[in-house]
PDB file of all heavy atoms in Angstrom:
ATOM      1  N   MET A1452     176.669 155.949  79.975  1.00  0.00           N
ATOM      2  CA  MET A1452     177.855 155.442  79.275  1.00  0.00           C
ATOM      3  C   MET A1452     179.054 156.363  79.499  1.00  0.00           C
ATOM      4  O   MET A1452     180.169 155.883  79.704  1.00  0.00           O
ATOM      5  CB  MET A1452     177.561 155.296  77.776  1.00  0.00           C
ATOM      6  CG  MET A1452     176.693 154.094  77.453  1.00  0.00           C
ATOM      7  SD  MET A1452     177.338 152.525  78.114  1.00  0.00           S
ATOM      8  CE  MET A1452     178.882 152.392  77.228  1.00  0.00           C
ATOM      9  N   ALA A1453     178.825 157.663  79.478  1.00  0.00           N
ATOM     10  CA  ALA A1453     179.919 158.605  79.721  1.00  0.00           C
ATOM     11  C   ALA A1453     180.472 158.427  81.132  1.00  0.00           C
ATOM     12  O   ALA A1453     181.692 158.421  81.340  1.00  0.00           O
ATOM     13  CB  ALA A1453     179.442 160.039  79.510  1.00  0.00           C
ATOM     14  N   ILE A1454     179.587 158.241  82.096  1.00  0.00           N
ATOM     15  CA  ILE A1454     180.023 158.050  83.479  1.00  0.00           C
ATOM     16  C   ILE A1454     180.790 156.738  83.612  1.00  0.00           C
ATOM     17  O   ILE A1454     181.833 156.684  84.278  1.00  0.00           O
ATOM     18  CB  ILE A1454     178.829 158.109  84.451  1.00  0.00           C
ATOM     19  CG1 ILE A1454     178.293 159.542  84.520  1.00  0.00           C
ATOM     20  CG2 ILE A1454     179.218 157.616  85.842  1.00  0.00           C
ATOM     21  CD1 ILE A1454     176.980 159.699  85.264  1.00  0.00           C
ATOM     22  N   HIS A1455     180.319 155.684  82.959  1.00  0.00           N
ATOM     23  CA  HIS A1455     181.034 154.406  83.019  1.00  0.00           C
ATOM     24  C   HIS A1455     182.423 154.511  82.383  1.00  0.00           C
ATOM     25  O   HIS A1455     183.382 153.921  82.893  1.00  0.00           O
ATOM     26  CB  HIS A1455     180.223 153.299  82.350  1.00  0.00           C
ATOM     27  CG  HIS A1455     179.113 152.785  83.203  1.00  0.00           C
ATOM     28  ND1 HIS A1455     179.305 152.138  84.399  1.00  0.00           N
ATOM     29  CD2 HIS A1455     177.771 152.830  83.029  1.00  0.00           C
ATOM     30  CE1 HIS A1455     178.149 151.800  84.925  1.00  0.00           C
ATOM     31  NE2 HIS A1455     177.192 152.224  84.116  1.00  0.00           N
ATOM     32  N   ARG A1456     182.528 155.255  81.297  1.00  0.00           N
ATOM     33  CA  ARG A1456     183.851 155.449  80.669  1.00  0.00           C
ATOM     34  C   ARG A1456     184.788 156.201  81.617  1.00  0.00           C
ATOM     35  O   ARG A1456     185.966 155.858  81.737  1.00  0.00           O
ATOM     36  CB  ARG A1456     183.703 156.206  79.357  1.00  0.00           C
ATOM     37  CG  ARG A1456     183.184 155.353  78.242  1.00  0.00           C
ATOM     38  CD  ARG A1456     183.239 156.100  76.900  1.00  0.00           C
ATOM     39  NE  ARG A1456     182.438 155.388  75.932  1.00  0.00           N
ATOM     40  CZ  ARG A1456     181.206 155.733  75.558  1.00  0.00           C
ATOM     41  NH1 ARG A1456     180.651 156.829  76.039  1.00  0.00           N
ATOM     42  NH2 ARG A1456     180.535 155.007  74.698  1.00  0.00           N
ATOM     43  N   ILE A1457     184.261 157.223  82.262  1.00  0.00           N
ATOM     44  CA  ILE A1457     185.068 157.990  83.219  1.00  0.00           C
ATOM     45  C   ILE A1457     185.480 157.091  84.381  1.00  0.00           C
ATOM     46  O   ILE A1457     186.642 157.093  84.806  1.00  0.00           O
ATOM     47  CB  ILE A1457     184.291 159.230  83.728  1.00  0.00           C
ATOM     48  CG1 ILE A1457     184.075 160.220  82.580  1.00  0.00           C
ATOM     49  CG2 ILE A1457     185.005 159.882  84.899  1.00  0.00           C
ATOM     50  CD1 ILE A1457     183.057 161.300  82.875  1.00  0.00           C
ATOM     51  N   LEU A1458     184.536 156.313  84.887  1.00  0.00           N
ATOM     52  CA  LEU A1458     184.839 155.387  85.987  1.00  0.00           C
ATOM     53  C   LEU A1458     185.918 154.388  85.592  1.00  0.00           C
ATOM     54  O   LEU A1458     186.778 154.039  86.402  1.00  0.00           O
ATOM     55  CB  LEU A1458     183.584 154.617  86.407  1.00  0.00           C
ATOM     56  CG  LEU A1458     182.739 155.209  87.494  1.00  0.00           C
ATOM     57  CD1 LEU A1458     181.491 154.378  87.700  1.00  0.00           C
ATOM     58  CD2 LEU A1458     183.500 155.347  88.790  1.00  0.00           C
ATOM     59  N   HIS A1459     185.864 153.902  84.360  1.00  0.00           N
ATOM     60  CA  HIS A1459     186.830 152.924  83.881  1.00  0.00           C
ATOM     61  C   HIS A1459     188.254 153.468  83.971  1.00  0.00           C
ATOM     62  O   HIS A1459     189.193 152.734  84.285  1.00  0.00           O
ATOM     63  CB  HIS A1459     186.494 152.522  82.439  1.00  0.00           C
ATOM     64  CG  HIS A1459     187.429 151.520  81.864  1.00  0.00           C
ATOM     65  ND1 HIS A1459     187.452 150.206  82.285  1.00  0.00           N
ATOM     66  CD2 HIS A1459     188.376 151.635  80.900  1.00  0.00           C
ATOM     67  CE1 HIS A1459     188.382 149.557  81.610  1.00  0.00           C
ATOM     68  NE2 HIS A1459     188.951 150.397  80.761  1.00  0.00           N
ATOM     69  N   GLU A1460     188.406 154.762  83.701  1.00  0.00           N
ATOM     70  CA  GLU A1460     189.715 155.402  83.726  1.00  0.00           C
ATOM     71  C   GLU A1460     190.101 155.938  85.115  1.00  0.00           C
ATOM     72  O   GLU A1460     191.256 156.278  85.338  1.00  0.00           O
ATOM     73  CB  GLU A1460     189.756 156.555  82.721  1.00  0.00           C
ATOM     74  CG  GLU A1460     189.496 156.134  81.286  1.00  0.00           C
ATOM     75  CD  GLU A1460     190.578 155.212  80.747  1.00  0.00           C
ATOM     76  OE1 GLU A1460     191.764 155.404  81.095  1.00  0.00           O
ATOM     77  OE2 GLU A1460     190.224 154.290  79.990  1.00  0.00           O
ATOM     78  N   MET A1461     189.136 156.029  86.009  1.00  0.00           N
ATOM     79  CA  MET A1461     189.369 156.627  87.326  1.00  0.00           C
ATOM     80  C   MET A1461     190.257 155.735  88.197  1.00  0.00           C
ATOM     81  O   MET A1461     190.162 154.516  88.156  1.00  0.00           O
ATOM     82  CB  MET A1461     188.029 156.873  88.028  1.00  0.00           C
ATOM     83  CG  MET A1461     188.160 157.660  89.320  1.00  0.00           C
ATOM     84  SD  MET A1461     186.545 157.981  90.046  1.00  0.00           S
ATOM     85  CE  MET A1461     186.002 159.322  89.021  1.00  0.00           C
ATOM     86  N   GLY A1462     191.096 156.364  88.979  1.00  0.00           N
ATOM     87  CA  GLY A1462     191.987 155.628  89.873  1.00  0.00           C
ATOM     88  C   GLY A1462     191.280 155.192  91.147  1.00  0.00           C
ATOM     89  O   GLY A1462     190.193 155.652  91.480  1.00  0.00           O
ATOM     90  N   GLU A1463     191.934 154.301  91.827  1.00  0.00           N
ATOM     91  CA  GLU A1463     191.417 153.823  93.114  1.00  0.00           C
ATOM     92  C   GLU A1463     191.870 154.789  94.199  1.00  0.00           C
ATOM     93  O   GLU A1463     192.887 155.455  94.040  1.00  0.00           O
ATOM     94  CB  GLU A1463     191.938 152.411  93.399  1.00  0.00           C
ATOM     95  CG  GLU A1463     191.448 151.362  92.421  1.00  0.00           C
ATOM     96  CD  GLU A1463     189.941 151.145  92.415  1.00  0.00           C
ATOM     97  OE1 GLU A1463     189.251 151.626  93.342  1.00  0.00           O
ATOM     98  OE2 GLU A1463     189.448 150.524  91.484  1.00  0.00           O
ATOM     99  N   PRO A1464     191.191 154.909  95.295  1.00  0.00           N
ATOM    100  CA  PRO A1464     190.008 154.167  95.715  1.00  0.00           C
ATOM    101  C   PRO A1464     188.707 154.786  95.209  1.00  0.00           C
ATOM    102  O   PRO A1464     187.635 154.286  95.480  1.00  0.00           O
ATOM    103  CB  PRO A1464     190.060 154.248  97.231  1.00  0.00           C
ATOM    104  CG  PRO A1464     190.653 155.596  97.496  1.00  0.00           C
ATOM    105  CD  PRO A1464     191.662 155.797  96.381  1.00  0.00           C
ATOM    106  N   TYR A1465     188.830 155.894  94.444  1.00  0.00           N
ATOM    107  CA  TYR A1465     187.638 156.617  94.009  1.00  0.00           C
ATOM    108  C   TYR A1465     186.692 155.729  93.207  1.00  0.00           C
ATOM    109  O   TYR A1465     185.477 155.746  93.423  1.00  0.00           O
ATOM    110  CB  TYR A1465     188.020 157.853  93.193  1.00  0.00           C
ATOM    111  CG  TYR A1465     188.925 158.794  93.954  1.00  0.00           C
ATOM    112  CD1 TYR A1465     190.268 158.908  93.632  1.00  0.00           C
ATOM    113  CD2 TYR A1465     188.428 159.528  95.018  1.00  0.00           C
ATOM    114  CE1 TYR A1465     191.091 159.751  94.343  1.00  0.00           C
ATOM    115  CE2 TYR A1465     189.252 160.377  95.731  1.00  0.00           C
ATOM    116  CZ  TYR A1465     190.586 160.479  95.399  1.00  0.00           C
ATOM    117  OH  TYR A1465     191.389 161.304  96.117  1.00  0.00           O
ATOM    118  N   LYS A1466     187.248 154.992  92.280  1.00  0.00           N
ATOM    119  CA  LYS A1466     186.443 154.128  91.406  1.00  0.00           C
ATOM    120  C   LYS A1466     185.633 153.124  92.228  1.00  0.00           C
ATOM    121  O   LYS A1466     184.431 152.979  92.042  1.00  0.00           O
ATOM    122  CB  LYS A1466     187.372 153.404  90.435  1.00  0.00           C
ATOM    123  CG  LYS A1466     186.708 152.434  89.518  1.00  0.00           C
ATOM    124  CD  LYS A1466     187.784 151.797  88.636  1.00  0.00           C
ATOM    125  CE  LYS A1466     187.217 150.850  87.630  1.00  0.00           C
ATOM    126  NZ  LYS A1466     188.270 150.351  86.722  1.00  0.00           N
ATOM    127  N   GLU A1467     186.298 152.439  93.146  1.00  0.00           N
ATOM    128  CA  GLU A1467     185.609 151.403  93.914  1.00  0.00           C
ATOM    129  C   GLU A1467     184.613 151.999  94.901  1.00  0.00           C
ATOM    130  O   GLU A1467     183.496 151.500  95.050  1.00  0.00           O
ATOM    131  CB  GLU A1467     186.606 150.509  94.648  1.00  0.00           C
ATOM    132  CG  GLU A1467     185.932 149.327  95.307  1.00  0.00           C
ATOM    133  CD  GLU A1467     186.893 148.309  95.851  1.00  0.00           C
ATOM    134  OE1 GLU A1467     188.122 148.490  95.730  1.00  0.00           O
ATOM    135  OE2 GLU A1467     186.405 147.318  96.432  1.00  0.00           O
ATOM    136  N   VAL A1468     184.986 153.074  95.575  1.00  0.00           N
ATOM    137  CA  VAL A1468     184.075 153.705  96.539  1.00  0.00           C
ATOM    138  C   VAL A1468     182.822 154.196  95.829  1.00  0.00           C
ATOM    139  O   VAL A1468     181.700 153.965  96.291  1.00  0.00           O
ATOM    140  CB  VAL A1468     184.777 154.857  97.309  1.00  0.00           C
ATOM    141  CG1 VAL A1468     183.767 155.687  98.091  1.00  0.00           C
ATOM    142  CG2 VAL A1468     185.843 154.300  98.241  1.00  0.00           C
ATOM    143  N   PHE A1469     182.999 154.851  94.686  1.00  0.00           N
ATOM    144  CA  PHE A1469     181.843 155.333  93.932  1.00  0.00           C
ATOM    145  C   PHE A1469     180.955 154.169  93.512  1.00  0.00           C
ATOM    146  O   PHE A1469     179.737 154.213  93.672  1.00  0.00           O
ATOM    147  CB  PHE A1469     182.301 156.120  92.696  1.00  0.00           C
ATOM    148  CG  PHE A1469     181.156 156.694  91.915  1.00  0.00           C
ATOM    149  CD1 PHE A1469     180.618 157.923  92.247  1.00  0.00           C
ATOM    150  CD2 PHE A1469     180.596 155.999  90.850  1.00  0.00           C
ATOM    151  CE1 PHE A1469     179.550 158.458  91.536  1.00  0.00           C
ATOM    152  CE2 PHE A1469     179.528 156.512  90.130  1.00  0.00           C
ATOM    153  CZ  PHE A1469     179.008 157.751  90.475  1.00  0.00           C
ATOM    154  N   SER A1470     181.548 153.117  92.988  1.00  0.00           N
ATOM    155  CA  SER A1470     180.782 151.951  92.527  1.00  0.00           C
ATOM    156  C   SER A1470     180.056 151.269  93.676  1.00  0.00           C
ATOM    157  O   SER A1470     178.889 150.873  93.533  1.00  0.00           O
ATOM    158  CB  SER A1470     181.711 150.951  91.836  1.00  0.00           C
ATOM    159  OG  SER A1470     182.253 151.520  90.669  1.00  0.00           O
ATOM    160  N   LEU A1471     180.716 151.124  94.807  1.00  0.00           N
ATOM    161  CA  LEU A1471     180.070 150.488  95.956  1.00  0.00           C
ATOM    162  C   LEU A1471     178.878 151.308  96.440  1.00  0.00           C
ATOM    163  O   LEU A1471     177.849 150.752  96.827  1.00  0.00           O
ATOM    164  CB  LEU A1471     181.075 150.297  97.096  1.00  0.00           C
ATOM    165  CG  LEU A1471     182.140 149.232  96.877  1.00  0.00           C
ATOM    166  CD1 LEU A1471     183.184 149.302  97.988  1.00  0.00           C
ATOM    167  CD2 LEU A1471     181.528 147.844  96.800  1.00  0.00           C
ATOM    168  N   ARG A1472     179.028 152.613  96.410  1.00  0.00           N
ATOM    169  CA  ARG A1472     177.952 153.483  96.903  1.00  0.00           C
ATOM    170  C   ARG A1472     176.771 153.535  95.923  1.00  0.00           C
ATOM    171  O   ARG A1472     175.628 153.353  96.309  1.00  0.00           O
ATOM    172  CB  ARG A1472     178.500 154.896  97.145  1.00  0.00           C
ATOM    173  CG  ARG A1472     177.481 155.883  97.624  1.00  0.00           C
ATOM    174  CD  ARG A1472     177.005 155.574  99.010  1.00  0.00           C
ATOM    175  NE  ARG A1472     176.022 156.566  99.409  1.00  0.00           N
ATOM    176  CZ  ARG A1472     175.249 156.461 100.429  1.00  0.00           C
ATOM    177  NH1 ARG A1472     175.345 155.417 101.207  1.00  0.00           N
ATOM    178  NH2 ARG A1472     174.386 157.389 100.721  1.00  0.00           N
ATOM    179  N   VAL A1473     177.049 153.784  94.651  1.00  0.00           N
ATOM    180  CA  VAL A1473     175.989 154.005  93.674  1.00  0.00           C
ATOM    181  C   VAL A1473     175.404 152.689  93.165  1.00  0.00           C
ATOM    182  O   VAL A1473     174.197 152.515  93.135  1.00  0.00           O
ATOM    183  CB  VAL A1473     176.489 154.863  92.492  1.00  0.00           C
ATOM    184  CG1 VAL A1473     175.458 154.966  91.399  1.00  0.00           C
ATOM    185  CG2 VAL A1473     176.859 156.258  92.989  1.00  0.00           C
ATOM    186  N   PHE A1474     176.267 151.766  92.774  1.00  0.00           N
ATOM    187  CA  PHE A1474     175.775 150.525  92.175  1.00  0.00           C
ATOM    188  C   PHE A1474     175.526 149.448  93.228  1.00  0.00           C
ATOM    189  O   PHE A1474     174.585 148.680  93.102  1.00  0.00           O
ATOM    190  CB  PHE A1474     176.745 150.019  91.107  1.00  0.00           C
ATOM    191  CG  PHE A1474     177.033 151.048  90.056  1.00  0.00           C
ATOM    192  CD1 PHE A1474     178.306 151.556  89.889  1.00  0.00           C
ATOM    193  CD2 PHE A1474     176.023 151.530  89.247  1.00  0.00           C
ATOM    194  CE1 PHE A1474     178.571 152.519  88.935  1.00  0.00           C
ATOM    195  CE2 PHE A1474     176.277 152.498  88.281  1.00  0.00           C
ATOM    196  CZ  PHE A1474     177.554 152.990  88.124  1.00  0.00           C
ATOM    197  N   GLY A1475     176.379 149.403  94.237  1.00  0.00           N
ATOM    198  CA  GLY A1475     176.208 148.412  95.298  1.00  0.00           C
ATOM    199  C   GLY A1475     175.254 148.871  96.380  1.00  0.00           C
ATOM    200  O   GLY A1475     174.839 148.084  97.229  1.00  0.00           O
ATOM    201  N   GLU A1476     174.935 150.176  96.372  1.00  0.00           N
ATOM    202  CA  GLU A1476     174.019 150.785  97.337  1.00  0.00           C
ATOM    203  C   GLU A1476     174.429 150.500  98.790  1.00  0.00           C
ATOM    204  O   GLU A1476     173.591 150.285  99.652  1.00  0.00           O
ATOM    205  CB  GLU A1476     172.580 150.350  97.079  1.00  0.00           C
ATOM    206  CG  GLU A1476     172.079 150.769  95.721  1.00  0.00           C
ATOM    207  CD  GLU A1476     170.640 150.397  95.439  1.00  0.00           C
ATOM    208  OE1 GLU A1476     170.025 149.655  96.242  1.00  0.00           O
ATOM    209  OE2 GLU A1476     170.122 150.853  94.406  1.00  0.00           O
ATOM    210  N   LEU A1477     175.735 150.506  99.031  1.00  0.00           N
ATOM    211  CA  LEU A1477     176.216 150.303 100.392  1.00  0.00           C
ATOM    212  C   LEU A1477     176.242 151.633 101.136  1.00  0.00           C
ATOM    213  O   LEU A1477     176.400 152.698 100.535  1.00  0.00           O
ATOM    214  CB  LEU A1477     177.634 149.718 100.374  1.00  0.00           C
ATOM    215  CG  LEU A1477     177.800 148.325  99.775  1.00  0.00           C
ATOM    216  CD1 LEU A1477     179.257 147.893  99.867  1.00  0.00           C
ATOM    217  CD2 LEU A1477     176.911 147.309 100.455  1.00  0.00           C
ATOM    218  N   SER A1478     176.138 151.557 102.442  1.00  0.00           N
ATOM    219  CA  SER A1478     176.221 152.764 103.260  1.00  0.00           C
ATOM    220  C   SER A1478     177.690 153.192 103.355  1.00  0.00           C
ATOM    221  O   SER A1478     178.605 152.399 103.096  1.00  0.00           O
ATOM    222  CB  SER A1478     175.678 152.486 104.661  1.00  0.00           C
ATOM    223  OG  SER A1478     176.543 151.616 105.363  1.00  0.00           O
ATOM    224  N   PHE A1479     177.898 154.440 103.745  1.00  0.00           N
ATOM    225  CA  PHE A1479     179.265 154.920 103.913  1.00  0.00           C
ATOM    226  C   PHE A1479     179.975 154.133 105.020  1.00  0.00           C
ATOM    227  O   PHE A1479     181.170 153.863 104.932  1.00  0.00           O
ATOM    228  CB  PHE A1479     179.289 156.425 104.229  1.00  0.00           C
ATOM    229  CG  PHE A1479     178.900 157.267 103.051  1.00  0.00           C
ATOM    230  CD1 PHE A1479     177.771 158.064 103.094  1.00  0.00           C
ATOM    231  CD2 PHE A1479     179.647 157.274 101.893  1.00  0.00           C
ATOM    232  CE1 PHE A1479     177.404 158.844 102.014  1.00  0.00           C
ATOM    233  CE2 PHE A1479     179.296 158.043 100.794  1.00  0.00           C
ATOM    234  CZ  PHE A1479     178.162 158.834 100.858  1.00  0.00           C
ATOM    235  N   ARG A1480     179.232 153.739 106.035  1.00  0.00           N
ATOM    236  CA  ARG A1480     179.808 152.940 107.118  1.00  0.00           C
ATOM    237  C   ARG A1480     180.306 151.600 106.572  1.00  0.00           C
ATOM    238  O   ARG A1480     181.411 151.161 106.885  1.00  0.00           O
ATOM    239  CB  ARG A1480     178.785 152.722 108.219  1.00  0.00           C
ATOM    240  CG  ARG A1480     179.319 151.967 109.418  1.00  0.00           C
ATOM    241  CD  ARG A1480     178.250 151.818 110.470  1.00  0.00           C
ATOM    242  NE  ARG A1480     177.039 151.288 109.852  1.00  0.00           N
ATOM    243  CZ  ARG A1480     176.427 150.185 110.221  1.00  0.00           C
ATOM    244  NH1 ARG A1480     176.858 149.514 111.235  1.00  0.00           N
ATOM    245  NH2 ARG A1480     175.353 149.768 109.594  1.00  0.00           N
ATOM    246  N   GLN A1481     179.499 150.952 105.738  1.00  0.00           N
ATOM    247  CA  GLN A1481     179.879 149.665 105.159  1.00  0.00           C
ATOM    248  C   GLN A1481     181.096 149.821 104.249  1.00  0.00           C
ATOM    249  O   GLN A1481     182.000 148.980 104.273  1.00  0.00           O
ATOM    250  CB  GLN A1481     178.710 149.069 104.367  1.00  0.00           C
ATOM    251  CG  GLN A1481     177.550 148.631 105.237  1.00  0.00           C
ATOM    252  CD  GLN A1481     176.304 148.296 104.417  1.00  0.00           C
ATOM    253  OE1 GLN A1481     175.967 149.013 103.475  1.00  0.00           O
ATOM    254  NE2 GLN A1481     175.636 147.215 104.784  1.00  0.00           N
ATOM    255  N   ILE A1482     181.126 150.881 103.461  1.00  0.00           N
ATOM    256  CA  ILE A1482     182.265 151.123 102.571  1.00  0.00           C
ATOM    257  C   ILE A1482     183.531 151.356 103.400  1.00  0.00           C
ATOM    258  O   ILE A1482     184.594 150.806 103.095  1.00  0.00           O
ATOM    259  CB  ILE A1482     181.987 152.311 101.628  1.00  0.00           C
ATOM    260  CG1 ILE A1482     180.840 151.956 100.668  1.00  0.00           C
ATOM    261  CG2 ILE A1482     183.242 152.700 100.851  1.00  0.00           C
ATOM    262  CD1 ILE A1482     180.297 153.129  99.875  1.00  0.00           C
ATOM    263  N   GLY A1483     183.407 152.167 104.450  1.00  0.00           N
ATOM    264  CA  GLY A1483     184.547 152.395 105.333  1.00  0.00           C
ATOM    265  C   GLY A1483     185.062 151.092 105.926  1.00  0.00           C
ATOM    266  O   GLY A1483     186.281 150.863 106.003  1.00  0.00           O
ATOM    267  N   ASP A1484     184.156 150.228 106.334  1.00  0.00           N
ATOM    268  CA  ASP A1484     184.546 148.932 106.906  1.00  0.00           C
ATOM    269  C   ASP A1484     185.307 148.084 105.894  1.00  0.00           C
ATOM    270  O   ASP A1484     186.289 147.428 106.237  1.00  0.00           O
ATOM    271  CB  ASP A1484     183.317 148.159 107.398  1.00  0.00           C
ATOM    272  CG  ASP A1484     182.703 148.752 108.655  1.00  0.00           C
ATOM    273  OD1 ASP A1484     183.359 149.594 109.313  1.00  0.00           O
ATOM    274  OD2 ASP A1484     181.557 148.384 108.979  1.00  0.00           O
ATOM    275  N   ILE A1485     184.853 148.079 104.641  1.00  0.00           N
ATOM    276  CA  ILE A1485     185.524 147.304 103.596  1.00  0.00           C
ATOM    277  C   ILE A1485     186.976 147.745 103.432  1.00  0.00           C
ATOM    278  O   ILE A1485     187.878 146.923 103.301  1.00  0.00           O
ATOM    279  CB  ILE A1485     184.764 147.421 102.254  1.00  0.00           C
ATOM    280  CG1 ILE A1485     183.448 146.643 102.338  1.00  0.00           C
ATOM    281  CG2 ILE A1485     185.613 146.930 101.088  1.00  0.00           C
ATOM    282  CD1 ILE A1485     182.524 146.858 101.153  1.00  0.00           C
ATOM    283  N   PHE A1486     187.204 149.044 103.490  1.00  0.00           N
ATOM    284  CA  PHE A1486     188.545 149.585 103.295  1.00  0.00           C
ATOM    285  C   PHE A1486     189.347 149.668 104.604  1.00  0.00           C
ATOM    286  O   PHE A1486     190.504 150.065 104.580  1.00  0.00           O
ATOM    287  CB  PHE A1486     188.476 150.978 102.657  1.00  0.00           C
ATOM    288  CG  PHE A1486     188.202 150.959 101.177  1.00  0.00           C
ATOM    289  CD1 PHE A1486     186.908 150.977 100.694  1.00  0.00           C
ATOM    290  CD2 PHE A1486     189.242 150.917 100.267  1.00  0.00           C
ATOM    291  CE1 PHE A1486     186.642 150.968  99.337  1.00  0.00           C
ATOM    292  CE2 PHE A1486     188.996 150.904  98.902  1.00  0.00           C
ATOM    293  CZ  PHE A1486     187.691 150.921  98.432  1.00  0.00           C
ATOM    294  N   GLY A1487     188.693 149.363 105.717  1.00  0.00           N
ATOM    295  CA  GLY A1487     189.369 149.500 107.009  1.00  0.00           C
ATOM    296  C   GLY A1487     189.552 150.955 107.386  1.00  0.00           C
ATOM    297  O   GLY A1487     190.503 151.307 108.076  1.00  0.00           O
ATOM    298  N   LYS A1488     188.634 151.799 106.925  1.00  0.00           N
ATOM    299  CA  LYS A1488     188.693 153.242 107.177  1.00  0.00           C
ATOM    300  C   LYS A1488     187.414 153.666 107.892  1.00  0.00           C
ATOM    301  O   LYS A1488     186.550 152.858 108.185  1.00  0.00           O
ATOM    302  CB  LYS A1488     188.810 154.007 105.845  1.00  0.00           C
ATOM    303  CG  LYS A1488     189.938 153.585 104.951  1.00  0.00           C
ATOM    304  CD  LYS A1488     191.206 154.256 105.340  1.00  0.00           C
ATOM    305  CE  LYS A1488     192.284 153.933 104.294  1.00  0.00           C
ATOM    306  NZ  LYS A1488     193.526 154.573 104.584  1.00  0.00           N
ATOM    307  N   THR A1489     187.297 154.972 108.113  1.00  0.00           N
ATOM    308  CA  THR A1489     186.128 155.505 108.813  1.00  0.00           C
ATOM    309  C   THR A1489     184.998 155.814 107.828  1.00  0.00           C
ATOM    310  O   THR A1489     185.213 155.901 106.617  1.00  0.00           O
ATOM    311  CB  THR A1489     186.471 156.808 109.548  1.00  0.00           C
ATOM    312  OG1 THR A1489     186.819 157.801 108.583  1.00  0.00           O
ATOM    313  CG2 THR A1489     187.603 156.614 110.539  1.00  0.00           C
ATOM    314  N   GLU A1490     183.819 156.004 108.385  1.00  0.00           N
ATOM    315  CA  GLU A1490     182.660 156.415 107.592  1.00  0.00           C
ATOM    316  C   GLU A1490     182.934 157.776 106.940  1.00  0.00           C
ATOM    317  O   GLU A1490     182.586 158.002 105.791  1.00  0.00           O
ATOM    318  CB  GLU A1490     181.430 156.493 108.493  1.00  0.00           C
ATOM    319  CG  GLU A1490     180.166 156.874 107.790  1.00  0.00           C
ATOM    320  CD  GLU A1490     178.954 156.884 108.719  1.00  0.00           C
ATOM    321  OE1 GLU A1490     178.976 156.238 109.779  1.00  0.00           O
ATOM    322  OE2 GLU A1490     177.978 157.554 108.359  1.00  0.00           O
ATOM    323  N   SER A1491     183.571 158.668 107.674  1.00  0.00           N
ATOM    324  CA  SER A1491     183.904 160.000 107.140  1.00  0.00           C
ATOM    325  C   SER A1491     184.834 159.894 105.938  1.00  0.00           C
ATOM    326  O   SER A1491     184.672 160.621 104.952  1.00  0.00           O
ATOM    327  CB  SER A1491     184.552 160.865 108.215  1.00  0.00           C
ATOM    328  OG  SER A1491     183.649 161.108 109.250  1.00  0.00           O
ATOM    329  N   TRP A1492     185.810 158.997 106.028  1.00  0.00           N
ATOM    330  CA  TRP A1492     186.729 158.789 104.906  1.00  0.00           C
ATOM    331  C   TRP A1492     185.939 158.370 103.665  1.00  0.00           C
ATOM    332  O   TRP A1492     186.178 158.871 102.566  1.00  0.00           O
ATOM    333  CB  TRP A1492     187.771 157.720 105.256  1.00  0.00           C
ATOM    334  CG  TRP A1492     188.659 157.374 104.094  1.00  0.00           C
ATOM    335  CD1 TRP A1492     189.804 157.987 103.708  1.00  0.00           C
ATOM    336  CD2 TRP A1492     188.425 156.334 103.119  1.00  0.00           C
ATOM    337  NE1 TRP A1492     190.309 157.396 102.569  1.00  0.00           N
ATOM    338  CE2 TRP A1492     189.481 156.377 102.192  1.00  0.00           C
ATOM    339  CE3 TRP A1492     187.437 155.373 102.951  1.00  0.00           C
ATOM    340  CZ2 TRP A1492     189.575 155.495 101.114  1.00  0.00           C
ATOM    341  CZ3 TRP A1492     187.528 154.490 101.878  1.00  0.00           C
ATOM    342  CH2 TRP A1492     188.588 154.562 100.976  1.00  0.00           C
ATOM    343  N   ALA A1493     184.988 157.454 103.849  1.00  0.00           N
ATOM    344  CA  ALA A1493     184.174 156.975 102.728  1.00  0.00           C
ATOM    345  C   ALA A1493     183.352 158.113 102.130  1.00  0.00           C
ATOM    346  O   ALA A1493     183.241 158.239 100.910  1.00  0.00           O
ATOM    347  CB  ALA A1493     183.270 155.830 103.181  1.00  0.00           C
TER     348      ALA A1493
END
């Protein structure tokens, strides 16, 4: 619950990248593709 509260207040792209990785279980490559960025950026 504490982490969800922090996430709720967190700015983008951090909030979405974190959620995609932890909750969506996407790879860094997939996250980079979603944002049009590199795997390293993710």
